[in-house]
Amino acid sequence: MTFTTDELDALDLAVEGPVLRRGDSGLAAEAAGQNTTVVRDPDVLVGALTEADVQAAVRFAAAHGLAVHVLATGHGVFAPVTGGMLVTTRRLDALEIDAEARVARIGAGNRWGAVIEAAAVHGLAPVTGASGHVGAIGYTLGGGLGPLARSHGYSSDYARTFRLVTATGEAITVHAGEDGHPELFWALRGGKGGFGVVTSMDFELVPLTTFYGGSLFFDAEHIPAVLRAWARFTDTAPEEATSSVSLLRFPPLPVVPEALRGKTVVSLRYVHVGEPEEAERVFAPLRAVAPAVFGRVGEMPAAQIGLVHNDPVDPGPAWDRGMLLDLIDDDLIEAFLDVLGPEREVPIVAAELRHLGGATLRDVPGGSAVGGRPAAGTLVLIGVPDPALFDGVLPAVADGITARLAPWVSASNTINFAGDLSVPGSFESCWAPEVLERLARVRAEWDPAGMFPYPVVGRVSAGAGSR
Ligand SMILES: Cc1cc2nc3c(=O)[nH]c(=O)nc-3n(C[C@H](O)[C@H](O)[C@H](O)COP(=O)(O)OP(=O)(O)OC[C@H]3O[C@@H](n4cnc5c(N)ncnc54)[C@H](O)[C@@H]3O)c2cc1C
């Protein structure tokens, strides 16, 4: 142990939130996250209640040579924490909406759901991810591709400022202006980790009260036709429309709606932010492919955008691997059906294809670090949630699927979608080589001692549900 009980007691007195050390009874609960297979056993944990708490925690860590890890919701890509300092951010839950300026000031403890709800009161919406349960800041630091991706781009495009506690314990405001450390701002918009602890961000909101969308589920016999029609749809889809398909193998459990229970189905998701009549017209050929057994696509309040993907919210064991696609075409669908189709016995509960392009292709003025801009789509494989499969079977299955789909899989990736990083080089592939080098320079400047470890090492798995 690199610190004494007296020193830890002094830290406890200095901070408002809880301070726990290894072996304390509350530590496991405080360090728990969405993916229950990830062990977090730090030497010391600070449950930050204020930005000053984060500063005190970082200064303590610096003084005692401890690495600093951050936990928001535990949905993210991460390795086990086996020592050092863990700062939990869930109590930093301040949230203010400036409706006139169309900006949300989001404390690091907020999930997207809270931001969506608060913004909706003003007819505004954040450009969020698929799940309202994911942490707004952890998500945005990695870029973020959600159900508004084609119409609005990456979520990180909407970050305006970050409050960051750096390795020296100083709290700074980071933005694109000359006095805002613009190079660090560039890095925080998609570079993910290794820069410090973000305590809050100002995030631009977009005017959106309703959208036309939802999801339809089709039985196994219609899966090939739905997937083929969707691939053709992506050829001509307007930027207003963001869509995805997910091949789902539901367990025979009572929590699953009866129409889907124990079945292999495809879920077709659609979000269109234009006029409802036009949105319906664009969607009509997809709706006409086959009768849906479950779900609805129609006009919806913007605040219900999380229902489109309807990701599970209960914590549990989780394994997934994601990649980007250079192209979505008919042959991709045939290869996808060949390896993942309903007649295949594969330990993959969800195989999701998303359509990118439109606004995701356009970088922000001044640029940002986010990886994957040129991609045409994403593929995410979510494994059977059995931890016994996580270290060998699922990576091997995913390797096989990836090899079969190699002609479409992009050489580059984006960090929020990567999930399992067990393949050598997969972390590095999340940014273009010159971006990776530039990020390393920014980290070396702001965290020369490597106090905020990044990249993470060890088994790396993301959270439950689809992305
Ligand atoms: C069900 C589900 C749905 C998802 N949907 C999408 C999606 O639609 N689009 C998409 O792009 N991604 C999606 N993701 C991926 C998700 O965006 C990332 O996993 C993200 O890292 C989650 O952030 P978090 O803060 O909730 O998680 P955490 O696990 O708590 O944090 C993950 C990492 O983010 C960093 N971090 C978090 N907070 C801070 C902070 N305050 N300061 C500094 N670093 C911090 C740290 O490096 C940390 O290790 C999804 C994941 C899941 C499990």
mmCIF file of all heavy atoms in Angstrom, residues 38-39 69 77-82 421-422 427-428 453-461:
data_model
loop_
_atom_site.group_PDB
_atom_site.id
_atom_site.type_symbol
_atom_site.label_atom_id
_atom_site.label_comp_id
_atom_site.label_asym_id
_atom_site.label_seq_id
_atom_site.Cartn_x
_atom_site.Cartn_y
_atom_site.Cartn_z
ATOM 1 N N VAL A 38 -17.091 -7.584 -15.061
ATOM 2 C CA VAL A 38 -15.861 -6.796 -14.921
ATOM 3 C C VAL A 38 -15.594 -6.526 -13.437
ATOM 4 O O VAL A 38 -16.409 -5.905 -12.754
ATOM 5 C CB VAL A 38 -15.967 -5.467 -15.689
ATOM 6 C CG1 VAL A 38 -14.709 -4.621 -15.476
ATOM 7 C CG2 VAL A 38 -16.157 -5.733 -17.165
ATOM 8 N N VAL A 39 -14.474 -7.024 -12.957
ATOM 9 C CA VAL A 39 -14.112 -6.852 -11.548
ATOM 10 C C VAL A 39 -13.423 -5.507 -11.365
ATOM 11 O O VAL A 39 -12.539 -5.153 -12.138
ATOM 12 C CB VAL A 39 -13.145 -7.983 -11.107
ATOM 13 C CG1 VAL A 39 -12.662 -7.763 -9.678
ATOM 14 C CG2 VAL A 39 -13.827 -9.339 -11.264
ATOM 15 N N HIS A 69 -8.675 5.576 -12.514
ATOM 16 C CA HIS A 69 -9.683 5.029 -13.424
ATOM 17 C C HIS A 69 -11.000 5.759 -13.174
ATOM 18 O O HIS A 69 -11.241 6.251 -12.071
ATOM 19 C CB HIS A 69 -9.882 3.536 -13.166
ATOM 20 C CG HIS A 69 -8.603 2.752 -13.177
ATOM 21 N ND1 HIS A 69 -8.078 2.203 -14.317
ATOM 22 C CD2 HIS A 69 -7.732 2.452 -12.175
ATOM 23 C CE1 HIS A 69 -6.938 1.581 -14.021
ATOM 24 N NE2 HIS A 69 -6.713 1.730 -12.725
ATOM 25 N N VAL A 77 -16.211 0.195 -22.703
ATOM 26 C CA VAL A 77 -15.110 -0.722 -22.981
ATOM 27 C C VAL A 77 -14.076 -0.548 -21.882
ATOM 28 O O VAL A 77 -13.599 0.543 -21.656
ATOM 29 C CB VAL A 77 -14.480 -0.363 -24.336
ATOM 30 C CG1 VAL A 77 -13.274 -1.227 -24.626
ATOM 31 C CG2 VAL A 77 -15.530 -0.490 -25.426
ATOM 32 N N PHE A 78 -13.744 -1.606 -21.210
ATOM 33 C CA PHE A 78 -12.807 -1.459 -20.090
ATOM 34 C C PHE A 78 -12.265 -2.808 -19.671
ATOM 35 O O PHE A 78 -12.813 -3.856 -19.990
ATOM 36 C CB PHE A 78 -13.484 -0.805 -18.894
ATOM 37 C CG PHE A 78 -14.850 -1.362 -18.621
ATOM 38 C CD1 PHE A 78 -14.994 -2.581 -17.987
ATOM 39 C CD2 PHE A 78 -15.986 -0.687 -19.035
ATOM 40 C CE1 PHE A 78 -16.254 -3.108 -17.758
ATOM 41 C CE2 PHE A 78 -17.253 -1.216 -18.812
ATOM 42 C CZ PHE A 78 -17.383 -2.433 -18.173
ATOM 43 N N ALA A 79 -11.160 -2.733 -18.932
ATOM 44 C CA ALA A 79 -10.540 -3.919 -18.357
ATOM 45 C C ALA A 79 -10.795 -3.909 -16.855
ATOM 46 O O ALA A 79 -11.256 -2.907 -16.315
ATOM 47 C CB ALA A 79 -9.045 -3.875 -18.651
ATOM 48 N N PRO A 80 -10.497 -5.006 -16.175
ATOM 49 C CA PRO A 80 -10.656 -5.011 -14.722
ATOM 50 C C PRO A 80 -9.772 -3.941 -14.072
ATOM 51 O O PRO A 80 -8.708 -3.627 -14.591
ATOM 52 C CB PRO A 80 -10.158 -6.399 -14.305
ATOM 53 C CG PRO A 80 -10.042 -7.195 -15.545
ATOM 54 C CD PRO A 80 -9.964 -6.256 -16.694
ATOM 55 N N VAL A 81 -10.238 -3.390 -12.971
ATOM 56 C CA VAL A 81 -9.419 -2.461 -12.188
ATOM 57 C C VAL A 81 -8.870 -3.271 -11.012
ATOM 58 O O VAL A 81 -9.631 -3.765 -10.180
ATOM 59 C CB VAL A 81 -10.273 -1.276 -11.680
ATOM 60 C CG1 VAL A 81 -9.453 -0.391 -10.747
ATOM 61 C CG2 VAL A 81 -10.804 -0.468 -12.856
ATOM 62 N N THR A 82 -7.545 -3.428 -10.981
ATOM 63 C CA THR A 82 -6.953 -4.290 -9.952
ATOM 64 C C THR A 82 -6.161 -3.505 -8.913
ATOM 65 O O THR A 82 -5.541 -4.083 -8.026
ATOM 66 C CB THR A 82 -6.025 -5.334 -10.612
ATOM 67 O OG1 THR A 82 -5.088 -4.620 -11.427
ATOM 68 C CG2 THR A 82 -6.812 -6.301 -11.474
ATOM 69 N N LEU A 421 -11.662 -6.324 -27.477
ATOM 70 C CA LEU A 421 -10.459 -5.869 -28.190
ATOM 71 C C LEU A 421 -9.366 -6.936 -28.144
ATOM 72 O O LEU A 421 -8.188 -6.621 -28.127
ATOM 73 C CB LEU A 421 -9.951 -4.568 -27.572
ATOM 74 C CG LEU A 421 -10.840 -3.329 -27.739
ATOM 75 C CD1 LEU A 421 -10.311 -2.171 -26.901
ATOM 76 C CD2 LEU A 421 -10.938 -2.909 -29.192
ATOM 77 N N SER A 422 -9.786 -8.215 -28.100
ATOM 78 C CA SER A 422 -8.787 -9.272 -27.913
ATOM 79 C C SER A 422 -7.924 -9.500 -29.153
ATOM 80 O O SER A 422 -6.835 -10.052 -29.059
ATOM 81 C CB SER A 422 -9.463 -10.584 -27.492
ATOM 82 O OG SER A 422 -10.394 -10.985 -28.469
ATOM 83 N N PHE A 427 -7.444 -2.231 -30.875
ATOM 84 C CA PHE A 427 -7.559 -0.917 -30.227
ATOM 85 C C PHE A 427 -7.015 0.167 -31.160
ATOM 86 O O PHE A 427 -7.678 1.190 -31.409
ATOM 87 C CB PHE A 427 -6.801 -0.918 -28.894
ATOM 88 C CG PHE A 427 -6.741 0.437 -28.265
ATOM 89 C CD1 PHE A 427 -7.804 0.914 -27.524
ATOM 90 C CD2 PHE A 427 -5.636 1.255 -28.449
ATOM 91 C CE1 PHE A 427 -7.771 2.185 -26.967
ATOM 92 C CE2 PHE A 427 -5.595 2.523 -27.890
ATOM 93 C CZ PHE A 427 -6.663 2.978 -27.147
ATOM 94 N N GLU A 428 -5.835 -0.080 -31.699
ATOM 95 C CA GLU A 428 -5.189 0.925 -32.562
ATOM 96 C C GLU A 428 -6.045 1.223 -33.802
ATOM 97 O O GLU A 428 -6.012 2.331 -34.335
ATOM 98 C CB GLU A 428 -3.805 0.437 -32.997
ATOM 99 C CG GLU A 428 -2.762 0.393 -31.885
ATOM 100 C CD GLU A 428 -2.924 -0.795 -30.931
ATOM 101 O OE1 GLU A 428 -3.769 -1.683 -31.211
ATOM 102 O OE2 GLU A 428 -2.229 -0.817 -29.909
ATOM 103 N N PRO A 453 -4.617 5.584 -17.195
ATOM 104 C CA PRO A 453 -4.128 4.555 -18.120
ATOM 105 C C PRO A 453 -5.003 4.432 -19.366
ATOM 106 O O PRO A 453 -6.225 4.291 -19.256
ATOM 107 C CB PRO A 453 -4.201 3.264 -17.300
ATOM 108 C CG PRO A 453 -4.609 3.647 -15.936
ATOM 109 C CD PRO A 453 -5.076 5.056 -15.933
ATOM 110 N N TYR A 454 -4.384 4.507 -20.513
ATOM 111 C CA TYR A 454 -5.068 4.330 -21.780
ATOM 112 C C TYR A 454 -4.030 4.055 -22.842
ATOM 113 O O TYR A 454 -3.056 4.794 -22.907
ATOM 114 C CB TYR A 454 -5.880 5.600 -22.123
ATOM 115 C CG TYR A 454 -7.070 5.300 -22.990
ATOM 116 C CD1 TYR A 454 -8.193 4.669 -22.460
ATOM 117 C CD2 TYR A 454 -7.063 5.602 -24.334
ATOM 118 C CE1 TYR A 454 -9.286 4.375 -23.247
ATOM 119 C CE2 TYR A 454 -8.169 5.312 -25.128
ATOM 120 C CZ TYR A 454 -9.267 4.699 -24.570
ATOM 121 O OH TYR A 454 -10.349 4.403 -25.351
ATOM 122 N N PRO A 455 -4.141 3.033 -23.663
ATOM 123 C CA PRO A 455 -5.263 2.098 -23.697
ATOM 124 C C PRO A 455 -5.319 1.199 -22.469
ATOM 125 O O PRO A 455 -4.300 0.968 -21.820
ATOM 126 C CB PRO A 455 -4.965 1.254 -24.944
ATOM 127 C CG PRO A 455 -3.478 1.294 -25.076
ATOM 128 C CD PRO A 455 -3.078 2.655 -24.603
ATOM 129 N N VAL A 456 -6.514 0.717 -22.208
ATOM 130 C CA VAL A 456 -6.685 -0.238 -21.118
ATOM 131 C C VAL A 456 -6.129 -1.582 -21.564
ATOM 132 O O VAL A 456 -6.085 -1.874 -22.750
ATOM 133 C CB VAL A 456 -8.172 -0.374 -20.746
ATOM 134 C CG1 VAL A 456 -8.622 0.816 -19.959
ATOM 135 C CG2 VAL A 456 -9.020 -0.566 -21.986
ATOM 136 N N VAL A 457 -5.716 -2.398 -20.601
ATOM 137 C CA VAL A 457 -5.189 -3.718 -20.953
ATOM 138 C C VAL A 457 -6.005 -4.794 -20.248
ATOM 139 O O VAL A 457 -6.732 -4.509 -19.312
ATOM 140 C CB VAL A 457 -3.696 -3.858 -20.558
ATOM 141 C CG1 VAL A 457 -2.827 -3.011 -21.442
ATOM 142 C CG2 VAL A 457 -3.493 -3.513 -19.093
ATOM 143 N N GLY A 458 -5.858 -6.029 -20.710
ATOM 144 C CA GLY A 458 -6.616 -7.135 -20.128
ATOM 145 C C GLY A 458 -7.848 -7.421 -20.951
ATOM 146 O O GLY A 458 -8.027 -6.871 -22.037
ATOM 147 N N ARG A 459 -8.692 -8.313 -20.457
ATOM 148 C CA ARG A 459 -9.903 -8.632 -21.214
ATOM 149 C C ARG A 459 -10.788 -7.399 -21.245
ATOM 150 O O ARG A 459 -11.022 -6.754 -20.231
ATOM 151 C CB ARG A 459 -10.663 -9.786 -20.554
ATOM 152 C CG ARG A 459 -11.820 -10.267 -21.418
ATOM 153 C CD ARG A 459 -12.519 -11.437 -20.780
ATOM 154 N NE ARG A 459 -13.329 -11.048 -19.640
ATOM 155 C CZ ARG A 459 -14.466 -10.370 -19.744
ATOM 156 N NH1 ARG A 459 -14.914 -9.999 -20.909
ATOM 157 N NH2 ARG A 459 -15.145 -10.057 -18.678
ATOM 158 N N VAL A 460 -11.257 -7.091 -22.397
ATOM 159 C CA VAL A 460 -12.006 -5.861 -22.572
ATOM 160 C C VAL A 460 -13.353 -6.206 -23.158
ATOM 161 O O VAL A 460 -13.448 -6.746 -24.247
ATOM 162 C CB VAL A 460 -11.267 -4.909 -23.539
ATOM 163 C CG1 VAL A 460 -12.059 -3.638 -23.746
ATOM 164 C CG2 VAL A 460 -9.899 -4.576 -22.982
ATOM 165 N N SER A 461 -14.413 -5.943 -22.409
ATOM 166 C CA SER A 461 -15.721 -6.227 -23.002
ATOM 167 C C SER A 461 -16.671 -5.101 -22.684
ATOM 168 O O SER A 461 -16.607 -4.495 -21.628
ATOM 169 C CB SER A 461 -16.272 -7.539 -22.478
ATOM 170 O OG SER A 461 -16.418 -7.486 -21.094
#
